[in-house]
Amino acid sequence: AAMAGAIGVGTRHGEPTGHPVLTRRVTLSAREQAFVGVLSPESDWMLAEHRVRGGEPLLPGTGSLSLVHTAERLAGREGPLALREVEFVDALIVPEGTRSEIRVRLDSAEGRFALESRRDAISPWRLHVRGRTGVPSGLSAPVDLLSLRARCTQSADPASVTTDAPLLAFGPRWHNVTGIHVGQREALIDLELASRLAGDLAAFPLHPALLDLGL
């Protein structure tokens, strides 16, 4: 019930976080807090470089997960983070020349999160993504990349990953596949963010474009 309400919280209220997108922390109740900010195609590459064919800027699903991950870190969570029962309810499209207020709500009592948006302070919040966060139940052993690469002896054209997308148009950050190695019923893909874009990682260590192409 605590996650269901639409509480009017503006980006000018709350405590500054120092983050370029989720700029404020707002306490909603003893168990719930929100990290709020503003997204626009003119100022945010997650929208500018991820568009529906035809030009509409669309927040990628991995961008939503990155924002949740960022909110958890801003809330003080350390160590591995698990995202469970993630439900993508509604696409977040922000047309050119407009902006959208966003917030990530974290319920510490139930380990729930919700990503919501609204166009202005008098509009109701609209739910886009919800789910649970927590500690992973178990960590797998690290993959032996050298052995995996040795087994994957065939190669494919890295450009095929980003050019064969009939419904989406990507910007430079999504052109991050530098190698594809294929074996029998397994493959290894090399992802690399251009050095000029490495500054992204300070704000979004779970990088939306790398995660998108890695899934």
mmCIF file with all atom_site columns, all heavy atoms in Angstrom, residues 149-161:
data_model
loop_
_atom_site.group_PDB
_atom_site.id
_atom_site.type_symbol
_atom_site.label_atom_id
_atom_site.label_alt_id
_atom_site.label_comp_id
_atom_site.label_asym_id
_atom_site.label_entity_id
_atom_site.label_seq_id
_atom_site.pdbx_PDB_ins_code
_atom_site.Cartn_x
_atom_site.Cartn_y
_atom_site.Cartn_z
_atom_site.occupancy
_atom_site.B_iso_or_equiv
_atom_site.pdbx_formal_charge
_atom_site.auth_seq_id
_atom_site.auth_comp_id
_atom_site.auth_asym_id
_atom_site.auth_atom_id
_atom_site.pdbx_PDB_model_num
ATOM 1  N N   . ARG A 1 149 ? 37.007 -18.481 -24.334 1.00 0.00 ? 149 ARG A N   1
ATOM 2  C CA  . ARG A 1 149 ? 37.473 -17.942 -25.615 1.00 0.00 ? 149 ARG A CA  1
ATOM 3  C C   . ARG A 1 149 ? 38.147 -19.029 -26.454 1.00 0.00 ? 149 ARG A C   1
ATOM 4  O O   . ARG A 1 149 ? 37.987 -19.067 -27.680 1.00 0.00 ? 149 ARG A O   1
ATOM 5  C CB  . ARG A 1 149 ? 38.440 -16.779 -25.379 1.00 0.00 ? 149 ARG A CB  1
ATOM 6  C CG  . ARG A 1 149 ? 38.854 -16.067 -26.667 1.00 0.00 ? 149 ARG A CG  1
ATOM 7  C CD  . ARG A 1 149 ? 39.839 -14.950 -26.375 1.00 0.00 ? 149 ARG A CD  1
ATOM 8  N NE  . ARG A 1 149 ? 39.235 -13.873 -25.619 1.00 0.00 ? 149 ARG A NE  1
ATOM 9  C CZ  . ARG A 1 149 ? 38.581 -12.852 -26.176 1.00 0.00 ? 149 ARG A CZ  1
ATOM 10 N NH1 . ARG A 1 149 ? 38.446 -12.789 -27.495 1.00 0.00 ? 149 ARG A NH1 1
ATOM 11 N NH2 . ARG A 1 149 ? 38.081 -11.902 -25.427 1.00 0.00 ? 149 ARG A NH2 1
ATOM 12 N N   . ALA A 1 150 ? 38.878 -19.922 -25.811 1.00 0.00 ? 150 ALA A N   1
ATOM 13 C CA  . ALA A 1 150 ? 39.550 -20.995 -26.550 1.00 0.00 ? 150 ALA A CA  1
ATOM 14 C C   . ALA A 1 150 ? 38.547 -21.939 -27.189 1.00 0.00 ? 150 ALA A C   1
ATOM 15 O O   . ALA A 1 150 ? 38.815 -22.516 -28.253 1.00 0.00 ? 150 ALA A O   1
ATOM 16 C CB  . ALA A 1 150 ? 40.481 -21.755 -25.613 1.00 0.00 ? 150 ALA A CB  1
ATOM 17 N N   . ARG A 1 151 ? 37.387 -22.117 -26.560 1.00 0.00 ? 151 ARG A N   1
ATOM 18 C CA  . ARG A 1 151 ? 36.366 -23.006 -27.122 1.00 0.00 ? 151 ARG A CA  1
ATOM 19 C C   . ARG A 1 151 ? 35.563 -22.333 -28.232 1.00 0.00 ? 151 ARG A C   1
ATOM 20 O O   . ARG A 1 151 ? 34.988 -23.019 -29.081 1.00 0.00 ? 151 ARG A O   1
ATOM 21 C CB  . ARG A 1 151 ? 35.404 -23.463 -26.020 1.00 0.00 ? 151 ARG A CB  1
ATOM 22 C CG  . ARG A 1 151 ? 36.035 -24.303 -24.931 1.00 0.00 ? 151 ARG A CG  1
ATOM 23 C CD  . ARG A 1 151 ? 34.980 -25.013 -24.094 1.00 0.00 ? 151 ARG A CD  1
ATOM 24 N NE  . ARG A 1 151 ? 34.031 -24.093 -23.475 1.00 0.00 ? 151 ARG A NE  1
ATOM 25 C CZ  . ARG A 1 151 ? 34.181 -23.544 -22.268 1.00 0.00 ? 151 ARG A CZ  1
ATOM 26 N NH1 . ARG A 1 151 ? 35.281 -23.810 -21.563 1.00 0.00 ? 151 ARG A NH1 1
ATOM 27 N NH2 . ARG A 1 151 ? 33.265 -22.747 -21.767 1.00 0.00 ? 151 ARG A NH2 1
ATOM 28 N N   . CYS A 1 152 ? 35.497 -21.006 -28.211 1.00 0.00 ? 152 CYS A N   1
ATOM 29 C CA  . CYS A 1 152 ? 34.694 -20.261 -29.188 1.00 0.00 ? 152 CYS A CA  1
ATOM 30 C C   . CYS A 1 152 ? 35.611 -19.818 -30.316 1.00 0.00 ? 152 CYS A C   1
ATOM 31 O O   . CYS A 1 152 ? 36.196 -18.725 -30.288 1.00 0.00 ? 152 CYS A O   1
ATOM 32 C CB  . CYS A 1 152 ? 34.019 -19.071 -28.524 1.00 0.00 ? 152 CYS A CB  1
ATOM 33 S SG  . CYS A 1 152 ? 32.842 -19.542 -27.237 1.00 0.00 ? 152 CYS A SG  1
ATOM 34 N N   . THR A 1 153 ? 35.748 -20.677 -31.310 1.00 0.00 ? 153 THR A N   1
ATOM 35 C CA  . THR A 1 153 ? 36.767 -20.473 -32.341 1.00 0.00 ? 153 THR A CA  1
ATOM 36 C C   . THR A 1 153 ? 36.257 -19.755 -33.586 1.00 0.00 ? 153 THR A C   1
ATOM 37 O O   . THR A 1 153 ? 37.046 -19.340 -34.427 1.00 0.00 ? 153 THR A O   1
ATOM 38 C CB  . THR A 1 153 ? 37.335 -21.833 -32.770 1.00 0.00 ? 153 THR A CB  1
ATOM 39 O OG1 . THR A 1 153 ? 36.261 -22.681 -33.206 1.00 0.00 ? 153 THR A OG1 1
ATOM 40 C CG2 . THR A 1 153 ? 38.045 -22.505 -31.598 1.00 0.00 ? 153 THR A CG2 1
ATOM 41 N N   . GLN A 1 154 ? 34.926 -19.611 -33.732 1.00 0.00 ? 154 GLN A N   1
ATOM 42 C CA  . GLN A 1 154 ? 34.387 -18.914 -34.889 1.00 0.00 ? 154 GLN A CA  1
ATOM 43 C C   . GLN A 1 154 ? 34.082 -17.471 -34.524 1.00 0.00 ? 154 GLN A C   1
ATOM 44 O O   . GLN A 1 154 ? 33.758 -17.159 -33.384 1.00 0.00 ? 154 GLN A O   1
ATOM 45 C CB  . GLN A 1 154 ? 33.115 -19.608 -35.383 1.00 0.00 ? 154 GLN A CB  1
ATOM 46 C CG  . GLN A 1 154 ? 33.321 -21.058 -35.799 1.00 0.00 ? 154 GLN A CG  1
ATOM 47 C CD  . GLN A 1 154 ? 32.039 -21.690 -36.312 1.00 0.00 ? 154 GLN A CD  1
ATOM 48 O OE1 . GLN A 1 154 ? 31.183 -21.003 -36.851 1.00 0.00 ? 154 GLN A OE1 1
ATOM 49 N NE2 . GLN A 1 154 ? 31.907 -22.983 -36.116 1.00 0.00 ? 154 GLN A NE2 1
ATOM 50 N N   . SER A 1 155 ? 34.196 -16.589 -35.491 1.00 0.00 ? 155 SER A N   1
ATOM 51 C CA  . SER A 1 155 ? 33.948 -15.172 -35.245 1.00 0.00 ? 155 SER A CA  1
ATOM 52 C C   . SER A 1 155 ? 32.806 -14.683 -36.115 1.00 0.00 ? 155 SER A C   1
ATOM 53 O O   . SER A 1 155 ? 32.485 -15.269 -37.143 1.00 0.00 ? 155 SER A O   1
ATOM 54 C CB  . SER A 1 155 ? 35.210 -14.341 -35.506 1.00 0.00 ? 155 SER A CB  1
ATOM 55 O OG  . SER A 1 155 ? 35.607 -14.462 -36.863 1.00 0.00 ? 155 SER A OG  1
ATOM 56 N N   . ALA A 1 156 ? 32.185 -13.587 -35.663 1.00 0.00 ? 156 ALA A N   1
ATOM 57 C CA  . ALA A 1 156 ? 31.109 -12.949 -36.411 1.00 0.00 ? 156 ALA A CA  1
ATOM 58 C C   . ALA A 1 156 ? 31.378 -11.458 -36.451 1.00 0.00 ? 156 ALA A C   1
ATOM 59 O O   . ALA A 1 156 ? 32.176 -10.926 -35.680 1.00 0.00 ? 156 ALA A O   1
ATOM 60 C CB  . ALA A 1 156 ? 29.755 -13.248 -35.762 1.00 0.00 ? 156 ALA A CB  1
ATOM 61 N N   . ASP A 1 157 ? 30.683 -10.762 -37.344 1.00 0.00 ? 157 ASP A N   1
ATOM 62 C CA  . ASP A 1 157 ? 30.880 -9.329  -37.521 1.00 0.00 ? 157 ASP A CA  1
ATOM 63 C C   . ASP A 1 157 ? 30.237 -8.566  -36.368 1.00 0.00 ? 157 ASP A C   1
ATOM 64 O O   . ASP A 1 157 ? 29.016 -8.626  -36.183 1.00 0.00 ? 157 ASP A O   1
ATOM 65 C CB  . ASP A 1 157 ? 30.258 -8.897  -38.847 1.00 0.00 ? 157 ASP A CB  1
ATOM 66 C CG  . ASP A 1 157 ? 30.462 -7.407  -39.114 1.00 0.00 ? 157 ASP A CG  1
ATOM 67 O OD1 . ASP A 1 157 ? 31.200 -6.758  -38.354 1.00 0.00 ? 157 ASP A OD1 1
ATOM 68 O OD2 . ASP A 1 157 ? 29.870 -6.897  -40.085 1.00 0.00 ? 157 ASP A OD2 1
ATOM 69 N N   . PRO A 1 158 ? 31.006 -7.829  -35.557 1.00 0.00 ? 158 PRO A N   1
ATOM 70 C CA  . PRO A 1 158 ? 30.420 -7.081  -34.432 1.00 0.00 ? 158 PRO A CA  1
ATOM 71 C C   . PRO A 1 158 ? 29.363 -6.072  -34.860 1.00 0.00 ? 158 PRO A C   1
ATOM 72 O O   . PRO A 1 158 ? 28.416 -5.801  -34.117 1.00 0.00 ? 158 PRO A O   1
ATOM 73 C CB  . PRO A 1 158 ? 31.630 -6.370  -33.818 1.00 0.00 ? 158 PRO A CB  1
ATOM 74 C CG  . PRO A 1 158 ? 32.803 -7.183  -34.236 1.00 0.00 ? 158 PRO A CG  1
ATOM 75 C CD  . PRO A 1 158 ? 32.467 -7.709  -35.598 1.00 0.00 ? 158 PRO A CD  1
ATOM 76 N N   . ALA A 1 159 ? 29.493 -5.522  -36.060 1.00 0.00 ? 159 ALA A N   1
ATOM 77 C CA  . ALA A 1 159 ? 28.537 -4.508  -36.516 1.00 0.00 ? 159 ALA A CA  1
ATOM 78 C C   . ALA A 1 159 ? 27.135 -5.072  -36.672 1.00 0.00 ? 159 ALA A C   1
ATOM 79 O O   . ALA A 1 159 ? 26.154 -4.334  -36.614 1.00 0.00 ? 159 ALA A O   1
ATOM 80 C CB  . ALA A 1 159 ? 29.002 -3.903  -37.841 1.00 0.00 ? 159 ALA A CB  1
ATOM 81 N N   . SER A 1 160 ? 27.033 -6.384  -36.843 1.00 0.00 ? 160 SER A N   1
ATOM 82 C CA  . SER A 1 160 ? 25.712 -6.981  -37.052 1.00 0.00 ? 160 SER A CA  1
ATOM 83 C C   . SER A 1 160 ? 24.823 -6.865  -35.818 1.00 0.00 ? 160 SER A C   1
ATOM 84 O O   . SER A 1 160 ? 23.604 -6.903  -35.916 1.00 0.00 ? 160 SER A O   1
ATOM 85 C CB  . SER A 1 160 ? 25.852 -8.449  -37.448 1.00 0.00 ? 160 SER A CB  1
ATOM 86 O OG  . SER A 1 160 ? 26.412 -9.196  -36.378 1.00 0.00 ? 160 SER A OG  1
ATOM 87 N N   . VAL A 1 161 ? 25.417 -6.695  -34.651 1.00 0.00 ? 161 VAL A N   1
ATOM 88 C CA  . VAL A 1 161 ? 24.636 -6.632  -33.414 1.00 0.00 ? 161 VAL A CA  1
ATOM 89 C C   . VAL A 1 161 ? 23.813 -5.363  -33.343 1.00 0.00 ? 161 VAL A C   1
ATOM 90 O O   . VAL A 1 161 ? 22.657 -5.360  -32.922 1.00 0.00 ? 161 VAL A O   1
ATOM 91 C CB  . VAL A 1 161 ? 25.562 -6.728  -32.184 1.00 0.00 ? 161 VAL A CB  1
ATOM 92 C CG1 . VAL A 1 161 ? 24.777 -6.522  -30.893 1.00 0.00 ? 161 VAL A CG1 1
ATOM 93 C CG2 . VAL A 1 161 ? 26.264 -8.070  -32.168 1.00 0.00 ? 161 VAL A CG2 1
#
